């Protein structure tokens, strides 16, 4: 059986007067139901400077959570999660367009992680991230959808030269009717800790700091508080949101013609 524990926190930061981040999760109604029990964690960061950013992030997460709860039991996450992110994009876009003459600019980032068996499927748009902490090392499992990151990947500029555009998103939910959702699957093992966060955290807290803090706290609640506190100490100019998910046990499976089967 897949067994996990988690903790989360969303903090306004030291400068802003309201929080445009939003996060949520879905837990199995009955974990004892067997292999098909699934979990979902999702976090969104309303785009700063856009009207109603906090509305966009809430709409995105609530759309994801409700869609995940209604999904047919056992549906492949590889198809389900990108579809739900697209639905969230449509919801944010249409809500913005319906607010009045000409509509209103509403946009948000999103990162979502669905867990089942021994797999974590991650879909994201924008620069909210998912890390995996394993054996004292933190690895980013997502790629930022920013102009700076795209230019660096294309070899047009170096990371040091791209600072001016590091906060300029190359894609976000709600900016257009359709959005490119990046989705990847990763195997998880007992002891892994997955971390979802907004740029209020990863903009000031390095991956090495994340690994050290997560690895040095037995209680996830303490680790979350320490991460948020460090982000506020170093910057605090943005909202800071974190979800930590520790894998305690997994259900090892293989796949045959698209169907899972238990491994000995």
């Amino acid at each position: 059986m897949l067994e996990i524990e988690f903790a989360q926190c969303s903090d306004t930061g030291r400068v802003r007067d309201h929080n445009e981040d939003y996060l949520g999760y879905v837990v199995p109604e009955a974990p004892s139901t067997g292999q098909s029990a699934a979990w979902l964690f999702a976090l969104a960061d309303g785009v700063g400077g856009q009207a109603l950013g906090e509305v966009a992030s809430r709409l995105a997460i609530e759309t994801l959570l409700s869609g995940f709860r209604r999904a047919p039991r056992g549906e492949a996450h590889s198809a389900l999660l990108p579809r739900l992110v697209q639905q969230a994009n449509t919801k944010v876009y249409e809500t913005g367009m319906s607010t009045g003459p000409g509509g209103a600019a509403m946009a948000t980032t999103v990162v979502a992680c669905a867990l089942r068996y021994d797999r974590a499927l991650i879909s994201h748009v924008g620069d909210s991230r998912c890390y995996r902490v394993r054996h004292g090392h933190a690895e980013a499992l997502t790629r930022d959808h920013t102009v700076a990151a795209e230019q660096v990947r294309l070899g047009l500029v170096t990371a040091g030269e791209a600072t001016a555009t590091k906060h300029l998103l190359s894609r976000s939910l709600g900016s257009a009717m359709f959005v490119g959702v990046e989705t990847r699957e990763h195997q998880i093992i007992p002891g892994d800790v997955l971390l979802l966060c907004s740029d209020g955290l990863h903009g000031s807290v390095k991956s090495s700091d994340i690994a050290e803090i997560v690895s040095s706290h037995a209680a996830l609640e303490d680790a979350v508080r320490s991460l948020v506190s460090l982000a506020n100490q170093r910057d605090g100019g943005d909202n800071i949101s974190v979800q930590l998910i520790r894998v305690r046990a997994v259900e090892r499976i293989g796949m045959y013609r698209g169907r899972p089967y238990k491994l000995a």
Side-chain angles (χ1 to χ4, degrees):
M1 287 292 298
L2 174 62
E3 298 179 12
I4 67 174
E5 58 178 322
F6 66 94
Q8 63 180 25
C9 177
S10 188
D11 187 83
T12 304
R14 297 189 298 110
V15 174
R16 299 193 176 185
D17 60 3
H18 66 289
N19 195 341
E20 293 186 331
D21 291 357
Y22 200 85
L23 40 74
Y25 57 87
V26 176
V27 303
E29 292 184 3
S32 61
T33 54
Q35 289 179 317
S36 60
W39 304 69
L40 177 70
F41 297 88
L43 180 152
D45 176 2
V47 175
Q50 299 279 12
L52 304 175
E54 65 274 18
V55 177
S57 60
R58 177 176 54 81
L59 278 175
I61 297 303
E62 290 180 349
T63 301
L64 279 170
L65 301 186
S66 62
F68 194 82
R69 293 187 182 102
R70 296 194 308 267
R73 182 181 177 85
E75 181 177 357
H77 286 169
S78 58
L80 172 63
L81 202 52
R83 186 178 76 247
L84 293 179
V85 174
Q86 288 285 1
Q87 290 176 1
N89 177 75
T90 301
K91 182 69 172 179
V92 174
Y93 177 79
E94 291 181 345
T95 301
M97 292 298 99
S98 66
T99 55
M106 291 176 57
T108 182
T109 71
V110 70
V111 59
C113 177
L115 300 105
R116 184 165 57 196
Y117 308 124
D118 58 352
R119 311 292 167 90
L121 191 100
I122 301 153
S123 288
H124 80 289
V125 176
D127 64 354
S128 292
R129 293 182 183 176
C130 178
Y131 290 87
R132 177 178 60 198
V133 180
R134 177 182 288 177
H135 304 317
H137 174 72
E139 175 188 5
L141 302 182
T142 53
R143 305 185 304 171
D144 290 351
H145 297 149
T146 62
V147 172
E150 302 285 358
Q151 290 176 333
V152 171
R153 285 195 286 269
L154 291 172
L156 301 177
V157 296
T158 65
E161 295 169 337
T163 55
T165 56
K166 67 178 182 178
H167 295 302
L168 183 59
L169 296 178
S170 57
R171 59 180 109 163
S172 60
L173 286 192
S175 298
M177 179 63 75
F178 301 100
V179 68
V181 182
E182 187 167 348
T183 301
R184 295 185 180 183
E185 185 178 69
H186 300 270
Q187 189 169 35
I188 51 176
I189 61 175
D192 281 352
V193 177
L194 299 171
L195 179 148
L196 279 62
C197 67
S198 61
D199 64 344
L201 182 82
H202 68 71
S204 58
V205 179
K206 298 184 294 185
S207 60
S208 57
D209 297 320
I210 290 173
E212 180 180 357
I213 290 173
V214 169
S215 301
S216 62
H217 287 84
L220 292 183
E221 292 82 0
D222 294 339
V224 165
R225 284 193 290 267
S226 294
L227 287 166
V228 171
S229 176
L230 181 59
N232 271 320
Q233 290 173 22
R234 291 184 175 174
D235 185 0
D238 200 355
N239 306 143
I240 307 160
S241 294
V242 186
Q243 291 179 309
L244 281 180
I245 306 110
R246 177 179 286 138
V247 180
R248 299 175 61 88
V250 299
E251 182 83 17
R252 295 185 64 242
I253 60 102
M255 299 295 292
Y256 179 72
R257 293 184 177 179
R259 293 183 176 274
Y261 63 91
K262 185 177 180 179
L263 296 175

